[in-house]
Amino acid sequence: MSLTTILIVYLIIINISAFIIFGIDKRRAVKKRWRIAESTLFLLALIGGSIGAEAGMYIFHHKTRHLHFVIGIPLIFIFQVVIAFFIWKTLICP
């Protein structure tokens, strides 16, 4: 398997995971049960799950009133895109 294939599979898995975790946390919030730490939700976005986290936020209507999520998750995504662009331009297509 190529590195590109491995990266794509990783990103699919981490984004699906982030989406599901946001849904689980929303369900726990509604049932007033033990919650997933906000730091864990941000960590999932930071390690590549920003698209899944953003989708989970708005599909499950979860953390959309928290400004640090509404601004933070999209900023993480933008940062990841910029980093990916520079890696692509310097290492893959110089």
Side-chain angles (χ1 to χ4, degrees):
M1 236 189 311
S2 72
L3 184 60
T4 304
T5 304
I6 293 169
L7 180 61
I8 289 169
V9 169
Y10 169 78
L11 289 173
I12 290 169
I13 290 169
I14 197 66
N15 277 286
I16 290 171
S17 299
F19 179 80
I20 290 169
I21 297 295
F22 267 79
I24 290 169
D25 193 48
K26 174 62 176 192
R27 183 177 179 101
R28 288 179 178 177
V30 169
K31 293 185 175 226
K32 298 187 183 344
R33 301 190 69 195
W34 174 81
R35 304 283 302 283
I36 296 166
E38 288 186 350
S39 59
T40 301
L41 298 175
F42 269 112
L43 179 64
L44 286 167
L46 279 169
I47 62 172
S50 55
I51 294 171
E54 182 85 12
M57 279 177 53
Y58 289 100
I59 288 174
F60 299 118
H61 304 284
H62 190 50
K63 302 291 186 188
T64 55
R65 293 183 183 179
H66 297 266
L67 196 58
H68 56 280
F69 274 91
V70 172
I71 293 172
I73 300 296
L75 282 178
I76 289 170
F77 175 71
I78 291 167
F79 178 73
Q80 290 168 340
V81 168
V82 169
I83 294 297
F85 175 78
F86 282 113
I87 289 172
W88 177 264
K89 290 303 272 180
T90 57
L91 299 177
I92 299 170
C93 289

